[in-house]
Amino acid sequence: MNGNEDIRDGRRRSSSGNAFSGGRMSPEERLAMKGKKRILFICLGNICRSPAAEGVMKSIVAEAGAHGYEIDSAGIGGYHIGQLPDPRMRVHARRRGLELDHYCRQVKATDFDDFDLVIGMDDRNIRDLHVVAPSPEAEEKIVAMRQFFEKSNYYDHVPDPYYGEGDGFELVLNLLEEGCRNLFNAIEGR
């Protein structure tokens, strides 16, 4: 864990301020996801994790033949605005049949009007999103990606692979495939 979560009754609870637990969703939380089809994925620079999450989620939605989804990604920082995702992430994603053609952008306060869910990859992203959110209602849209991991998954965040090697990109894609599949099932009420 990242040191900012409280363990009680065997469940992780985030101290980041959102209403969701840090681990697997309860039935009530799953119900709260139903029908929320406008999704914005967030990471630090919008160059690795969040565009990969966008690509994975779009693939899952297309594979299911689902309609009415709006899926995008953005970064907390403006470091890579206008760039394609990291070439290493694009190569690893392409091996899985995903084409990451998103151009990096920075999250803005108006995104909270345009999206139902704003999903951060790690606790730092979640904290920064609470600063960007223009209202308490906007803050309620912030959810940690770990919320959609299986209970048996030992990760409590999506690690940033930017300074690492190829296995880090593969790990991120594995986590995102699991998490996005669970997110999709929750939205679809499965």
Side-chain angles (χ1 to χ4, degrees), residues 27-173:
E28 296 81 16
E29 291 165 338
R30 202 173 255 297
L31 186 59
M33 295 291 111
K34 190 172 166 103
K36 295 188 176 180
K37 296 183 174 186
R38 299 177 307 156
I39 306 160
L40 181 64
F41 294 102
I42 303 293
C43 69
L44 181 59
N46 193 216
I47 200 162
C48 294
R49 298 172 290 171
S50 59
E54 175 186 348
V56 167
M57 191 68 181
K58 283 180 175 178
S59 174
I60 290 168
V61 168
E63 176 186 295
H67 301 284
Y69 281 81
E70 181 181 345
I71 303 163
D72 196 3
S73 64
I76 296 295
Y79 318 111
H80 305 286
I81 292 174
Q83 296 177 20
L84 285 169
D86 185 291
R88 298 166 296 169
M89 181 56 86
R90 290 172 54 213
V91 166
H92 286 274
R94 195 173 293 125
R95 290 179 185 157
R96 296 176 186 226
L98 303 172
E99 196 62 42
L100 305 183
D101 56 4
H102 170 86
Y103 287 93
C104 301
R105 72 179 187 86
Q106 189 171 14
V107 67
K108 53 192 182 295
T110 57
D111 284 324
F112 288 89
D113 294 329
D114 298 334
F115 293 94
D116 301 315
L117 296 171
V118 180
I119 301 176
M121 297 294 127
D122 62 34
D123 285 344
R124 179 178 174 189
N125 302 153
I126 298 297
R127 283 191 304 272
D128 291 341
L129 284 168
H130 281 282
V131 172
V132 175
S135 68
E137 294 77 23
E139 287 187 82
E140 291 177 8
K141 296 179 177 188
I142 300 169
V143 181
M145 189 70 214
R146 69 174 171 258
Q147 181 66 29
F148 306 102
F149 293 166
E150 294 295 328
K151 192 172 188 172
S152 61
N153 187 326
Y154 293 106
Y155 286 88
D156 66 353
H157 67 289
V158 180
D160 191 342
Y162 188 77
Y163 294 105
E165 301 296 324
D167 57 345
F169 293 92
E170 288 297 318
L171 171 62
V172 166
L173 287 165

